[in-house]
Amino acid sequence: MDFKRSIRRSVIQPLYGALEDLYPHNLQLYTTPPNFEISLKELEECTSQRLAILQTMDEVLNRGLKGDEWRQTVFSELRKQDLRNFRKLITNTSFSNDEELYATRKQDHISHFMLRLAYCDTEDKRRWFIAREMDLFKFKWSYLNQYEKQQFLKINNFNYEVLEETEKLELSKNSYGMIQTSTDYYKVPFVTVSDLVRARKVYLSKGMAYIVSDDMSSVIASSYRSSLSKSLSFAARRIDDIAEDTRIFSLVKGAAKRERDVDYTPANNGKVDINNLDTLSKISFPLCMQQLHQRLRKEHHLKHFARLQYILFIKGIGVTLEDALRFWKSEFTKKVDPEKFDKSYAYNVRHSYGKVGKMANYSPQSCLKIISCSVGPGEAHGCPFKHQDQGNLKKTLVQNGLSSIDSQEVLDFVRRGHYQIACGIYFQKMHGVDKVIINHPNHYFDESQMVLNNKKVKTEIKEEHTTHPMKHAVKNEEHDVWGNDSGFDFNSFTEIN
């Protein structure tokens, strides 16, 4: 008996026809994979442009913006970038000619499937990609007029009709004002708009939800999300098949970045005394570096990746190479011989400062790099908001002075995968300030020092005014807080039902 499993392979036919027939609308659900000839240069360009759009949406979201403020900020950021045709497509702006329009719709189609490959291999990447594609879809939808929305529903076989006047009038009598006779409504199954139900934005009756046309994007996005999730899972099982094509594989791997990496430029060239690191770690270190410092002080040792993360951080805040060597040696020699430190560990410190090896001036690691790293059992590096158990994380937050309510607010963002927003909320609670964007541990330190120095200056001004009420001008010297002066086939990766 033959026990071999038979594998059904579906063959996707090339997309024939004029582009205006293949792409009748600016908004797409990407149900059919592209099957065109395209140069590697064009493929790389359209992929990088789409990635820039998704990254922009993520960065604006990390600022904590919502609604119209989020929409206006995204539009403003896209205008600053060299994405003219994509921006026109997203904002439903007229093109100079039809050829340019349909070529951009084609690039939109292809770039979506390229990023599917780039973000399909891990659950974390899939979750990020789906969330950003949903944001992009809703952003595009918001720029469509009523006719274009109806056209999109018809093209994609969403057979939802506007509520009849008689039914609307009947519902308005029993809806406690939720159904207005002057507004058009669609009747949809309530399970397709769970987000609107959760937000109490719809009227429910007999298993049906009554939504306004502007909220139809939630119905479509729910279907789109489900379809995209299945497609990504299928692609993940086939992604190794492209490893032999080094051109495509390198392009796909290069695109798999959730956020633009952030270069760090020191806010000042001040020198930090290593004798003040204990104090600074409590008041100005981000949680990731605070925990590394505490682990080093307690165990007098850090593993390789934790050492690298912390060495580059303290280098960035102003610790000199000489002080860094003295600091690490004083800790490690509590467990190992000085000769072993000089032989096994001192080189790594010098290398990080660019004094040996290839003499590179390594920058401190960004949040992106720290969040995306792998952390094994017993290792101390990484991002606490992502890599630490939430029970222990909450305990740490409370120990650092956050209330239970504030800690819960931070953890709510952690559960949704918004680790940088969680860090930003943590900063706000610890420093008593409004919104702040955290995208680098050293930026966290710089922002903290600026806040603390400003508070110190304000206190000094207040005290001097109290002592000398007739003075109209006060000159203050700023001090540091610690006291010192300072061409591809997508068929194999798409499941066909």
PDB file of all heavy atoms in Angstrom, residues 99-129:
ATOM      1  N   GLU A  99      -1.553  56.076 -17.658  1.00  0.00           N
ATOM      2  CA  GLU A  99      -0.435  55.134 -17.667  1.00  0.00           C
ATOM      3  C   GLU A  99       0.294  55.154 -16.332  1.00  0.00           C
ATOM      4  O   GLU A  99       0.644  54.110 -15.780  1.00  0.00           O
ATOM      5  CB  GLU A  99       0.526  55.497 -18.803  1.00  0.00           C
ATOM      6  CG  GLU A  99       1.708  54.541 -18.931  1.00  0.00           C
ATOM      7  CD  GLU A  99       2.650  54.922 -20.060  1.00  0.00           C
ATOM      8  OE1 GLU A  99       2.330  55.868 -20.823  1.00  0.00           O
ATOM      9  OE2 GLU A  99       3.705  54.280 -20.179  1.00  0.00           O
ATOM     10  N   GLU A 100       0.506  56.333 -15.796  1.00  0.00           N
ATOM     11  CA  GLU A 100       1.169  56.480 -14.496  1.00  0.00           C
ATOM     12  C   GLU A 100       0.311  55.890 -13.381  1.00  0.00           C
ATOM     13  O   GLU A 100       0.822  55.241 -12.467  1.00  0.00           O
ATOM     14  CB  GLU A 100       1.430  57.966 -14.246  1.00  0.00           C
ATOM     15  CG  GLU A 100       2.334  58.257 -13.057  1.00  0.00           C
ATOM     16  CD  GLU A 100       2.602  59.745 -12.917  1.00  0.00           C
ATOM     17  OE1 GLU A 100       1.630  60.533 -12.925  1.00  0.00           O
ATOM     18  OE2 GLU A 100       3.785  60.113 -12.794  1.00  0.00           O
ATOM     19  N   LEU A 101      -0.997  56.102 -13.469  1.00  0.00           N
ATOM     20  CA  LEU A 101      -1.920  55.582 -12.459  1.00  0.00           C
ATOM     21  C   LEU A 101      -1.873  54.064 -12.395  1.00  0.00           C
ATOM     22  O   LEU A 101      -1.698  53.478 -11.320  1.00  0.00           O
ATOM     23  CB  LEU A 101      -3.338  56.052 -12.766  1.00  0.00           C
ATOM     24  CG  LEU A 101      -4.476  55.370 -11.997  1.00  0.00           C
ATOM     25  CD1 LEU A 101      -4.358  55.664 -10.502  1.00  0.00           C
ATOM     26  CD2 LEU A 101      -5.833  55.813 -12.532  1.00  0.00           C
ATOM     27  N   TYR A 102      -2.031  53.396 -13.557  1.00  0.00           N
ATOM     28  CA  TYR A 102      -2.102  51.938 -13.566  1.00  0.00           C
ATOM     29  C   TYR A 102      -0.741  51.309 -13.258  1.00  0.00           C
ATOM     30  O   TYR A 102      -0.678  50.241 -12.648  1.00  0.00           O
ATOM     31  CB  TYR A 102      -2.641  51.448 -14.913  1.00  0.00           C
ATOM     32  CG  TYR A 102      -4.077  51.851 -15.133  1.00  0.00           C
ATOM     33  CD1 TYR A 102      -4.448  52.654 -16.212  1.00  0.00           C
ATOM     34  CD2 TYR A 102      -5.073  51.462 -14.234  1.00  0.00           C
ATOM     35  CE1 TYR A 102      -5.767  53.047 -16.393  1.00  0.00           C
ATOM     36  CE2 TYR A 102      -6.395  51.841 -14.416  1.00  0.00           C
ATOM     37  CZ  TYR A 102      -6.739  52.637 -15.487  1.00  0.00           C
ATOM     38  OH  TYR A 102      -8.039  53.016 -15.663  1.00  0.00           O
ATOM     39  N   ALA A 103       0.334  51.977 -13.632  1.00  0.00           N
ATOM     40  CA  ALA A 103       1.668  51.473 -13.292  1.00  0.00           C
ATOM     41  C   ALA A 103       1.882  51.507 -11.779  1.00  0.00           C
ATOM     42  O   ALA A 103       2.465  50.591 -11.194  1.00  0.00           O
ATOM     43  CB  ALA A 103       2.735  52.304 -14.000  1.00  0.00           C
ATOM     44  N   THR A 104       1.360  52.551 -11.121  1.00  0.00           N
ATOM     45  CA  THR A 104       1.488  52.656  -9.661  1.00  0.00           C
ATOM     46  C   THR A 104       0.621  51.629  -8.965  1.00  0.00           C
ATOM     47  O   THR A 104       1.023  51.037  -7.951  1.00  0.00           O
ATOM     48  CB  THR A 104       1.110  54.072  -9.192  1.00  0.00           C
ATOM     49  OG1 THR A 104       1.887  55.028  -9.900  1.00  0.00           O
ATOM     50  CG2 THR A 104       1.370  54.226  -7.688  1.00  0.00           C
ATOM     51  N   ARG A 105      -0.586  51.368  -9.481  1.00  0.00           N
ATOM     52  CA  ARG A 105      -1.430  50.314  -8.915  1.00  0.00           C
ATOM     53  C   ARG A 105      -0.750  48.948  -9.033  1.00  0.00           C
ATOM     54  O   ARG A 105      -0.845  48.112  -8.130  1.00  0.00           O
ATOM     55  CB  ARG A 105      -2.779  50.298  -9.627  1.00  0.00           C
ATOM     56  CG  ARG A 105      -3.685  51.473  -9.289  1.00  0.00           C
ATOM     57  CD  ARG A 105      -4.997  51.417 -10.058  1.00  0.00           C
ATOM     58  NE  ARG A 105      -5.878  52.529  -9.732  1.00  0.00           N
ATOM     59  CZ  ARG A 105      -7.060  52.744 -10.297  1.00  0.00           C
ATOM     60  NH1 ARG A 105      -7.508  51.905 -11.239  1.00  0.00           N
ATOM     61  NH2 ARG A 105      -7.806  53.775  -9.941  1.00  0.00           N
ATOM     62  N   LYS A 106      -0.066  48.734 -10.136  1.00  0.00           N
ATOM     63  CA  LYS A 106       0.663  47.478 -10.332  1.00  0.00           C
ATOM     64  C   LYS A 106       1.801  47.358  -9.320  1.00  0.00           C
ATOM     65  O   LYS A 106       2.016  46.292  -8.723  1.00  0.00           O
ATOM     66  CB  LYS A 106       1.206  47.425 -11.759  1.00  0.00           C
ATOM     67  CG  LYS A 106       2.064  46.207 -12.073  1.00  0.00           C
ATOM     68  CD  LYS A 106       2.600  46.273 -13.506  1.00  0.00           C
ATOM     69  CE  LYS A 106       3.573  45.145 -13.782  1.00  0.00           C
ATOM     70  NZ  LYS A 106       4.125  45.224 -15.163  1.00  0.00           N
ATOM     71  N   GLN A 107       2.540  48.437  -9.114  1.00  0.00           N
ATOM     72  CA  GLN A 107       3.631  48.420  -8.131  1.00  0.00           C
ATOM     73  C   GLN A 107       3.093  48.199  -6.716  1.00  0.00           C
ATOM     74  O   GLN A 107       3.729  47.511  -5.901  1.00  0.00           O
ATOM     75  CB  GLN A 107       4.403  49.743  -8.196  1.00  0.00           C
ATOM     76  CG  GLN A 107       5.212  49.911  -9.466  1.00  0.00           C
ATOM     77  CD  GLN A 107       5.879  51.271  -9.542  1.00  0.00           C
ATOM     78  OE1 GLN A 107       5.504  52.206  -8.819  1.00  0.00           O
ATOM     79  NE2 GLN A 107       6.858  51.405 -10.415  1.00  0.00           N
ATOM     80  N   ASP A 108       1.941  48.783  -6.433  1.00  0.00           N
ATOM     81  CA  ASP A 108       1.285  48.578  -5.141  1.00  0.00           C
ATOM     82  C   ASP A 108       0.977  47.091  -4.939  1.00  0.00           C
ATOM     83  O   ASP A 108       1.194  46.540  -3.851  1.00  0.00           O
ATOM     84  CB  ASP A 108       0.005  49.409  -5.102  1.00  0.00           C
ATOM     85  CG  ASP A 108      -0.809  49.171  -3.845  1.00  0.00           C
ATOM     86  OD1 ASP A 108      -0.257  49.296  -2.743  1.00  0.00           O
ATOM     87  OD2 ASP A 108      -2.009  48.859  -3.968  1.00  0.00           O
ATOM     88  N   HIS A 109       0.482  46.448  -5.968  1.00  0.00           N
ATOM     89  CA  HIS A 109       0.146  45.030  -5.937  1.00  0.00           C
ATOM     90  C   HIS A 109       1.389  44.177  -5.680  1.00  0.00           C
ATOM     91  O   HIS A 109       1.419  43.330  -4.773  1.00  0.00           O
ATOM     92  CB  HIS A 109      -0.494  44.668  -7.280  1.00  0.00           C
ATOM     93  CG  HIS A 109      -0.997  43.266  -7.369  1.00  0.00           C
ATOM     94  ND1 HIS A 109      -1.182  42.611  -8.575  1.00  0.00           N
ATOM     95  CD2 HIS A 109      -1.349  42.367  -6.420  1.00  0.00           C
ATOM     96  CE1 HIS A 109      -1.637  41.398  -8.354  1.00  0.00           C
ATOM     97  NE2 HIS A 109      -1.751  41.223  -7.052  1.00  0.00           N
ATOM     98  N   ILE A 110       2.427  44.423  -6.466  1.00  0.00           N
ATOM     99  CA  ILE A 110       3.651  43.616  -6.364  1.00  0.00           C
ATOM    100  C   ILE A 110       4.350  43.832  -5.025  1.00  0.00           C
ATOM    101  O   ILE A 110       4.802  42.881  -4.377  1.00  0.00           O
ATOM    102  CB  ILE A 110       4.598  43.955  -7.531  1.00  0.00           C
ATOM    103  CG1 ILE A 110       3.987  43.480  -8.853  1.00  0.00           C
ATOM    104  CG2 ILE A 110       5.970  43.322  -7.323  1.00  0.00           C
ATOM    105  CD1 ILE A 110       4.740  43.926 -10.083  1.00  0.00           C
ATOM    106  N   SER A 111       4.430  45.088  -4.586  1.00  0.00           N
ATOM    107  CA  SER A 111       5.149  45.385  -3.338  1.00  0.00           C
ATOM    108  C   SER A 111       4.461  44.743  -2.138  1.00  0.00           C
ATOM    109  O   SER A 111       5.130  44.321  -1.181  1.00  0.00           O
ATOM    110  CB  SER A 111       5.256  46.894  -3.141  1.00  0.00           C
ATOM    111  OG  SER A 111       3.979  47.491  -2.993  1.00  0.00           O
ATOM    112  N   HIS A 112       3.146  44.662  -2.168  1.00  0.00           N
ATOM    113  CA  HIS A 112       2.423  44.006  -1.077  1.00  0.00           C
ATOM    114  C   HIS A 112       2.859  42.548  -0.954  1.00  0.00           C
ATOM    115  O   HIS A 112       3.124  42.051   0.154  1.00  0.00           O
ATOM    116  CB  HIS A 112       0.917  44.086  -1.302  1.00  0.00           C
ATOM    117  CG  HIS A 112       0.117  43.213  -0.382  1.00  0.00           C
ATOM    118  ND1 HIS A 112      -0.275  43.601   0.880  1.00  0.00           N
ATOM    119  CD2 HIS A 112      -0.339  41.932  -0.535  1.00  0.00           C
ATOM    120  CE1 HIS A 112      -0.927  42.621   1.465  1.00  0.00           C
ATOM    121  NE2 HIS A 112      -1.000  41.601   0.628  1.00  0.00           N
ATOM    122  N   PHE A 113       2.939  41.843  -2.071  1.00  0.00           N
ATOM    123  CA  PHE A 113       3.300  40.429  -2.025  1.00  0.00           C
ATOM    124  C   PHE A 113       4.769  40.224  -1.675  1.00  0.00           C
ATOM    125  O   PHE A 113       5.126  39.223  -1.042  1.00  0.00           O
ATOM    126  CB  PHE A 113       2.956  39.753  -3.357  1.00  0.00           C
ATOM    127  CG  PHE A 113       1.523  39.321  -3.446  1.00  0.00           C
ATOM    128  CD1 PHE A 113       0.542  40.201  -3.883  1.00  0.00           C
ATOM    129  CD2 PHE A 113       1.137  38.048  -3.053  1.00  0.00           C
ATOM    130  CE1 PHE A 113      -0.789  39.819  -3.945  1.00  0.00           C
ATOM    131  CE2 PHE A 113      -0.191  37.655  -3.107  1.00  0.00           C
ATOM    132  CZ  PHE A 113      -1.157  38.541  -3.549  1.00  0.00           C
ATOM    133  N   MET A 114       5.631  41.151  -2.037  1.00  0.00           N
ATOM    134  CA  MET A 114       7.032  41.054  -1.629  1.00  0.00           C
ATOM    135  C   MET A 114       7.152  41.155  -0.113  1.00  0.00           C
ATOM    136  O   MET A 114       7.908  40.409   0.518  1.00  0.00           O
ATOM    137  CB  MET A 114       7.854  42.152  -2.298  1.00  0.00           C
ATOM    138  CG  MET A 114       8.266  41.842  -3.723  1.00  0.00           C
ATOM    139  SD  MET A 114       9.300  40.343  -3.850  1.00  0.00           S
ATOM    140  CE  MET A 114      10.762  40.861  -2.936  1.00  0.00           C
ATOM    141  N   LEU A 115       6.390  42.076   0.467  1.00  0.00           N
ATOM    142  CA  LEU A 115       6.462  42.220   1.922  1.00  0.00           C
ATOM    143  C   LEU A 115       5.771  41.064   2.644  1.00  0.00           C
ATOM    144  O   LEU A 115       6.100  40.765   3.793  1.00  0.00           O
ATOM    145  CB  LEU A 115       5.866  43.560   2.362  1.00  0.00           C
ATOM    146  CG  LEU A 115       6.675  44.792   1.969  1.00  0.00           C
ATOM    147  CD1 LEU A 115       6.061  46.051   2.564  1.00  0.00           C
ATOM    148  CD2 LEU A 115       8.125  44.669   2.411  1.00  0.00           C
ATOM    149  N   ARG A 116       4.835  40.413   1.978  1.00  0.00           N
ATOM    150  CA  ARG A 116       4.277  39.184   2.555  1.00  0.00           C
ATOM    151  C   ARG A 116       5.391  38.171   2.799  1.00  0.00           C
ATOM    152  O   ARG A 116       5.442  37.512   3.841  1.00  0.00           O
ATOM    153  CB  ARG A 116       3.251  38.563   1.615  1.00  0.00           C
ATOM    154  CG  ARG A 116       1.852  39.132   1.705  1.00  0.00           C
ATOM    155  CD  ARG A 116       0.874  38.215   0.988  1.00  0.00           C
ATOM    156  NE  ARG A 116      -0.435  38.809   0.852  1.00  0.00           N
ATOM    157  CZ  ARG A 116      -1.499  38.175   0.359  1.00  0.00           C
ATOM    158  NH1 ARG A 116      -1.368  36.914  -0.047  1.00  0.00           N
ATOM    159  NH2 ARG A 116      -2.663  38.772   0.257  1.00  0.00           N
ATOM    160  N   LEU A 117       6.273  38.037   1.817  1.00  0.00           N
ATOM    161  CA  LEU A 117       7.384  37.084   1.961  1.00  0.00           C
ATOM    162  C   LEU A 117       8.345  37.534   3.061  1.00  0.00           C
ATOM    163  O   LEU A 117       8.866  36.712   3.819  1.00  0.00           O
ATOM    164  CB  LEU A 117       8.139  36.950   0.640  1.00  0.00           C
ATOM    165  CG  LEU A 117       7.350  36.414  -0.554  1.00  0.00           C
ATOM    166  CD1 LEU A 117       8.254  36.312  -1.771  1.00  0.00           C
ATOM    167  CD2 LEU A 117       6.733  35.065  -0.241  1.00  0.00           C
ATOM    168  N   ALA A 118       8.576  38.845   3.131  1.00  0.00           N
ATOM    169  CA  ALA A 118       9.533  39.363   4.113  1.00  0.00           C
ATOM    170  C   ALA A 118       9.035  39.218   5.544  1.00  0.00           C
ATOM    171  O   ALA A 118       9.831  39.074   6.478  1.00  0.00           O
ATOM    172  CB  ALA A 118       9.833  40.837   3.805  1.00  0.00           C
ATOM    173  N   TYR A 119       7.702  39.221   5.727  1.00  0.00           N
ATOM    174  CA  TYR A 119       7.151  39.247   7.083  1.00  0.00           C
ATOM    175  C   TYR A 119       6.340  38.004   7.441  1.00  0.00           C
ATOM    176  O   TYR A 119       5.549  38.040   8.371  1.00  0.00           O
ATOM    177  CB  TYR A 119       6.273  40.494   7.253  1.00  0.00           C
ATOM    178  CG  TYR A 119       7.088  41.746   7.371  1.00  0.00           C
ATOM    179  CD1 TYR A 119       7.487  42.434   6.233  1.00  0.00           C
ATOM    180  CD2 TYR A 119       7.514  42.215   8.605  1.00  0.00           C
ATOM    181  CE1 TYR A 119       8.271  43.568   6.325  1.00  0.00           C
ATOM    182  CE2 TYR A 119       8.284  43.347   8.712  1.00  0.00           C
ATOM    183  CZ  TYR A 119       8.668  44.017   7.563  1.00  0.00           C
ATOM    184  OH  TYR A 119       9.444  45.138   7.671  1.00  0.00           O
ATOM    185  N   CYS A 120       6.574  36.915   6.751  1.00  0.00           N
ATOM    186  CA  CYS A 120       5.765  35.721   7.005  1.00  0.00           C
ATOM    187  C   CYS A 120       6.422  34.712   7.932  1.00  0.00           C
ATOM    188  O   CYS A 120       5.754  33.811   8.438  1.00  0.00           O
ATOM    189  CB  CYS A 120       5.421  35.026   5.675  1.00  0.00           C
ATOM    190  SG  CYS A 120       6.840  34.216   4.882  1.00  0.00           S
ATOM    191  N   ASP A 121       7.718  34.830   8.205  1.00  0.00           N
ATOM    192  CA  ASP A 121       8.436  33.714   8.825  1.00  0.00           C
ATOM    193  C   ASP A 121       8.306  33.617  10.336  1.00  0.00           C
ATOM    194  O   ASP A 121       8.600  32.577  10.912  1.00  0.00           O
ATOM    195  CB  ASP A 121       9.920  33.737   8.431  1.00  0.00           C
ATOM    196  CG  ASP A 121      10.599  35.034   8.806  1.00  0.00           C
ATOM    197  OD1 ASP A 121       9.895  36.038   8.986  1.00  0.00           O
ATOM    198  OD2 ASP A 121      11.842  35.041   8.915  1.00  0.00           O
ATOM    199  N   THR A 122       7.873  34.687  11.022  1.00  0.00           N
ATOM    200  CA  THR A 122       7.672  34.599  12.472  1.00  0.00           C
ATOM    201  C   THR A 122       6.322  35.193  12.848  1.00  0.00           C
ATOM    202  O   THR A 122       5.796  36.057  12.139  1.00  0.00           O
ATOM    203  CB  THR A 122       8.776  35.331  13.258  1.00  0.00           C
ATOM    204  OG1 THR A 122       8.641  36.751  13.047  1.00  0.00           O
ATOM    205  CG2 THR A 122      10.167  34.874  12.836  1.00  0.00           C
ATOM    206  N   GLU A 123       5.787  34.760  13.962  1.00  0.00           N
ATOM    207  CA  GLU A 123       4.495  35.261  14.437  1.00  0.00           C
ATOM    208  C   GLU A 123       4.558  36.756  14.720  1.00  0.00           C
ATOM    209  O   GLU A 123       3.619  37.503  14.434  1.00  0.00           O
ATOM    210  CB  GLU A 123       4.080  34.501  15.695  1.00  0.00           C
ATOM    211  CG  GLU A 123       2.751  34.946  16.299  1.00  0.00           C
ATOM    212  CD  GLU A 123       1.569  34.729  15.356  1.00  0.00           C
ATOM    213  OE1 GLU A 123       1.615  33.760  14.560  1.00  0.00           O
ATOM    214  OE2 GLU A 123       0.621  35.529  15.398  1.00  0.00           O
ATOM    215  N   ASP A 124       5.672  37.210  15.274  1.00  0.00           N
ATOM    216  CA  ASP A 124       5.826  38.617  15.609  1.00  0.00           C
ATOM    217  C   ASP A 124       5.795  39.485  14.353  1.00  0.00           C
ATOM    218  O   ASP A 124       5.136  40.529  14.311  1.00  0.00           O
ATOM    219  CB  ASP A 124       7.147  38.818  16.355  1.00  0.00           C
ATOM    220  CG  ASP A 124       7.192  40.154  17.084  1.00  0.00           C
ATOM    221  OD1 ASP A 124       6.153  40.575  17.617  1.00  0.00           O
ATOM    222  OD2 ASP A 124       8.277  40.763  17.126  1.00  0.00           O
ATOM    223  N   LYS A 125       6.503  39.044  13.315  1.00  0.00           N
ATOM    224  CA  LYS A 125       6.510  39.796  12.053  1.00  0.00           C
ATOM    225  C   LYS A 125       5.140  39.782  11.395  1.00  0.00           C
ATOM    226  O   LYS A 125       4.683  40.804  10.862  1.00  0.00           O
ATOM    227  CB  LYS A 125       7.549  39.199  11.092  1.00  0.00           C
ATOM    228  CG  LYS A 125       8.991  39.483  11.451  1.00  0.00           C
ATOM    229  CD  LYS A 125       9.907  38.878  10.408  1.00  0.00           C
ATOM    230  CE  LYS A 125      11.365  39.109  10.736  1.00  0.00           C
ATOM    231  NZ  LYS A 125      12.258  38.467   9.730  1.00  0.00           N
ATOM    232  N   ARG A 126       4.496  38.628  11.403  1.00  0.00           N
ATOM    233  CA  ARG A 126       3.162  38.538  10.791  1.00  0.00           C
ATOM    234  C   ARG A 126       2.185  39.476  11.484  1.00  0.00           C
ATOM    235  O   ARG A 126       1.399  40.152  10.825  1.00  0.00           O
ATOM    236  CB  ARG A 126       2.644  37.090  10.838  1.00  0.00           C
ATOM    237  CG  ARG A 126       3.399  36.135   9.934  1.00  0.00           C
ATOM    238  CD  ARG A 126       2.642  34.831   9.748  1.00  0.00           C
ATOM    239  NE  ARG A 126       2.576  34.027  10.953  1.00  0.00           N
ATOM    240  CZ  ARG A 126       3.458  33.115  11.301  1.00  0.00           C
ATOM    241  NH1 ARG A 126       4.522  32.881  10.541  1.00  0.00           N
ATOM    242  NH2 ARG A 126       3.304  32.401  12.409  1.00  0.00           N
ATOM    243  N   ARG A 127       2.242  39.518  12.814  1.00  0.00           N
ATOM    244  CA  ARG A 127       1.329  40.382  13.565  1.00  0.00           C
ATOM    245  C   ARG A 127       1.567  41.851  13.211  1.00  0.00           C
ATOM    246  O   ARG A 127       0.623  42.619  13.011  1.00  0.00           O
ATOM    247  CB  ARG A 127       1.530  40.157  15.072  1.00  0.00           C
ATOM    248  CG  ARG A 127       0.495  40.874  15.934  1.00  0.00           C
ATOM    249  CD  ARG A 127       0.776  40.727  17.410  1.00  0.00           C
ATOM    250  NE  ARG A 127       0.853  39.346  17.829  1.00  0.00           N
ATOM    251  CZ  ARG A 127       1.957  38.754  18.250  1.00  0.00           C
ATOM    252  NH1 ARG A 127       3.100  39.427  18.304  1.00  0.00           N
ATOM    253  NH2 ARG A 127       1.954  37.491  18.617  1.00  0.00           N
ATOM    254  N   TRP A 128       2.842  42.237  13.121  1.00  0.00           N
ATOM    255  CA  TRP A 128       3.172  43.631  12.789  1.00  0.00           C
ATOM    256  C   TRP A 128       2.701  43.976  11.380  1.00  0.00           C
ATOM    257  O   TRP A 128       2.087  45.028  11.159  1.00  0.00           O
ATOM    258  CB  TRP A 128       4.686  43.842  12.896  1.00  0.00           C
ATOM    259  CG  TRP A 128       5.104  45.261  12.640  1.00  0.00           C
ATOM    260  CD1 TRP A 128       5.188  46.280  13.546  1.00  0.00           C
ATOM    261  CD2 TRP A 128       5.481  45.834  11.371  1.00  0.00           C
ATOM    262  NE1 TRP A 128       5.584  47.439  12.932  1.00  0.00           N
ATOM    263  CE2 TRP A 128       5.781  47.199  11.602  1.00  0.00           C
ATOM    264  CE3 TRP A 128       5.596  45.327  10.082  1.00  0.00           C
ATOM    265  CZ2 TRP A 128       6.185  48.054  10.580  1.00  0.00           C
ATOM    266  CZ3 TRP A 128       5.993  46.184   9.060  1.00  0.00           C
ATOM    267  CH2 TRP A 128       6.289  47.526   9.304  1.00  0.00           C
ATOM    268  N   PHE A 129       2.975  43.093  10.423  1.00  0.00           N
ATOM    269  CA  PHE A 129       2.620  43.366   9.032  1.00  0.00           C
ATOM    270  C   PHE A 129       1.109  43.474   8.857  1.00  0.00           C
ATOM    271  O   PHE A 129       0.616  44.384   8.187  1.00  0.00           O
ATOM    272  CB  PHE A 129       3.184  42.257   8.132  1.00  0.00           C
ATOM    273  CG  PHE A 129       2.873  42.432   6.676  1.00  0.00           C
ATOM    274  CD1 PHE A 129       3.405  43.482   5.961  1.00  0.00           C
ATOM    275  CD2 PHE A 129       2.041  41.537   6.018  1.00  0.00           C
ATOM    276  CE1 PHE A 129       3.122  43.650   4.610  1.00  0.00           C
ATOM    277  CE2 PHE A 129       1.748  41.692   4.673  1.00  0.00           C
ATOM    278  CZ  PHE A 129       2.289  42.754   3.967  1.00  0.00           C
TER     279      PHE A 129
END
